Amino acid sequence: MSTIEEPVAIDVDKLHQFVFRAVDEVGATLNTALVVMGDRLGLYRALAGAGGLSPAELAQRTGSAERYVREWLNAQAAGGYVEYDPDSGRYTLPPEQAIALTDSDSPAYLPGFFQIALGSVIDSPKIVDAARNGDGFGWHEHTHDVHEGCERFFRPGYNASLVTDWLPALDGVVAKLERGAHVADVGCGHGASTILMAQAYPQSTFVGWDYHDGSIETARKRAQEAGVADRVSFQTAPAAAYSGNDYDLVTMFDCLHDMGDPVGAARHVRSTLKPDGTWMIVEPNAGDRVEDNLNPIGRAYYAFSTLLCTPASLSQEVGLALGAQAGEARIHDVVQAGGFGGFRRAAETPFNLVFEARP
Ligand SMILES: C[S@@+](CC[C@H](N)C(=O)[O-])C[C@H]1O[C@@H](n2cnc3c(N)ncnc32)[C@H](O)[C@@H]1O
């Protein structure tokens, strides 16, 4: 028997509102490329503290083409990134934007966030293909902007919290690090967290592990540049097979959920720790239920998870695909399944949860 469907009533105002919201979102999407452009050409750095500049002055100071700079400035002004003075025809970078866009020591520093977003979008056609049949796409297969953007995105948060808040929140760990501990930083990427810990604790030795040899090569360069290469080494190995069995501390920063077999990794961590050792797991901040994460941070992380984290996990054996918004309950399950007896949330920021696991 056929049924006649009732026409769905459309609220035209709501439709208009949604379309106008989409205009803003398309502008924001394109602005991701413009922020990376401003960062690469030195446009924000030249504007910072310079007072008002005309497009010609900014172009001259950065060695860029004036016509591009003028158009870029207008897009930045329309988005509220710079201010435009119609009387003088000059553009100013407000001091708050100057911090967020040029001060790499500030926890508010943003260019890395945009760079990893741009890299994710550049690679998105490959994710569309993978999504057709459930294939994975490995972290190592991504464009360089994903790897470098990740480093530049996470480092300000680690600078702000790792040594001052996160490590002190772990039971007895700082005292061991001060005396001289042996530390493995697993899934270390370019080694931002490893090098920061090494700088803070000169008596301790550190090994950064990652399965991506390109990241390990960069991490080695970073350690040389930071002058800590005598106590920090970087080695290529997956989390389920790195070497050593006497670590006081194993750390994982924003990477457990990227792994195909996080339970296998947890078991391996357990076998490489000293009996009184500690596993510190830093994960994106998320609630356990989808509805807890339907906010701007959850939106960004679910998007990164779709384009980066979920395909990364699916590309590896097991392919558990926890997702970047796994939440505490699922991380606890993984840790327990890996044979750990103790688990607690030790610290948190709006962006991260920090867990302590004990054998
Ligand atoms: C989001 S990045 C985080 C990198 C770094 N920890 C940081 O905070 O900047 C995830 C990292 O996990 C690494 N990774 C993914 N699966 C891995 C595995 N099974 N074993 C070791 N590393 C892995 C990737 O190569 C990548 O460097």
Side-chain angles (χ1 to χ4, degrees):
M1 201 176 80
S2 64
T3 55
I4 299 169
E5 286 185 14
E6 290 287 321
V8 180
I10 296 290
D11 181 329
V12 175
D13 285 343
K14 280 191 183 164
L15 178 59
H16 282 168
Q17 278 168 22
F18 185 65
V19 170
F20 274 100
R21 188 178 150 218
V23 172
D24 199 30
E25 303 227 327
V26 171
T29 306
L30 294 167
N31 194 51
T32 297
L34 295 192
V35 171
V36 172
M37 181 176 174
D39 181 48
R40 292 218 169 117
L41 294 177
L43 301 173
Y44 295 120
R45 290 188 290 282
L47 281 164
L53 292 181
S54 69
E57 287 165 339
L58 181 57
Q60 196 267 329
R61 289 184 188 198
T62 55
S64 317
E66 189 269 344
R67 187 64 191 88
Y68 279 94
V69 169
R70 185 163 18 122
E71 220 60 13
W72 179 87
L73 278 167
N74 288 338
Q76 296 298 289
Y81 279 55
V82 304
E83 284 167 3
Y84 175 57
D85 174 22
D87 293 333
S88 66
R90 290 186 142 75
Y91 300 78
T92 307
L93 188 66
E96 296 76 16
Q97 274 86 330
I99 288 176
L101 294 164
T102 70
D103 180 358
S104 59
D105 289 334
S106 166
Y109 185 62
L110 290 172
F113 204 1
F114 285 95
Q115 188 181 356
I116 188 172
L118 182 64
S120 306
V121 170
I122 287 170
D123 286 340
S124 63
K126 294 162 187 160
I127 304 304
V128 174
D129 288 344
R132 286 189 208 288
N133 48 14
D135 284 348
F137 191 84
W139 182 262
H140 62 286
E141 297 178 81
H142 280 288
T143 179
H144 179 65
D145 278 327
V146 166
H147 306 140
E148 191 182 84
C150 175
E151 172 193 11
R152 296 178 76 210
F153 169 41
F154 285 136
R155 186 189 283 118
Y158 301 159
N159 280 344
S161 305
L162 172 54
V163 172
T164 50
D165 301 318
W166 296 350
L167 289 168
L170 306 176
D171 195 18
V173 165
V174 166
K176 288 184 192 173
L177 287 165
E178 283 169 347
R179 279 199 305 272
H182 192 35
V183 181
D185 188 12
V186 178
C188 64
H190 287 186
S193 51
T194 334
I195 291 168
L196 189 60
M197 291 190 286
Q199 287 168 326
Y201 300 106
Q203 302 305 319
S204 292
T205 53
F206 299 81
V207 191
W209 300 96
D210 200 288
Y211 90 114
H212 177 217
D213 47 8
S215 288
I216 287 299
E217 234 172 80
T218 303
R220 285 181 183 144
K221 277 192 209 128
R222 300 282 193 264
Q224 290 284 353
E225 286 157 11
V228 292
D230 55 330
R231 290 180 298 107
V232 182
S233 71
F234 287 102
Q235 308 290 339
T236 305
Y242 65 89
S243 61
N245 60 4
D246 62 343
Y247 293 109
D248 299 287
L249 174 67
V250 173
T251 56
M252 284 192 193
F253 291 85
D254 283 292
C255 61
L256 182 64
H257 65 269
D258 292 309
M259 295 175 188
D261 183 11
V263 173
R267 272 194 216 105
H268 189 66
V269 173
R270 173 89 172 71
S271 74
T272 64
L273 273 176
K274 284 183 182 164
D276 66 343
T278 301
W279 180 20
M280 175 167 78
I281 305 152
V282 176
E283 278 288 299
N285 198 336
D288 292 325
R289 303 167 310 166
V290 170
E291 57 269 37
D292 299 332
N293 305 319
L294 302 183
N295 53 56
I297 292 179
R299 185 186 189 198
Y301 274 122
Y302 277 128
F304 280 127
S305 189
T306 308
L307 296 171
L308 299 177
C309 315
T310 300
S313 177
L314 289 174
S315 75
Q316 300 180 17
E317 265 180 44
V318 181
L320 189 65
L322 285 171
Q325 295 285 271
E328 179 165 350
R330 294 200 74 198
I331 301 296
H332 189 182
D333 288 347
V334 166
V335 169
Q336 229 170 11
F340 283 82
F343 178 85
R344 71 181 174 97
R345 184 191 295 208
E348 71 181 286
T349 69
F351 290 97
N352 284 112
L353 296 175
V354 181
F355 301 110
E356 177 191 76
R358 304 298 297 265

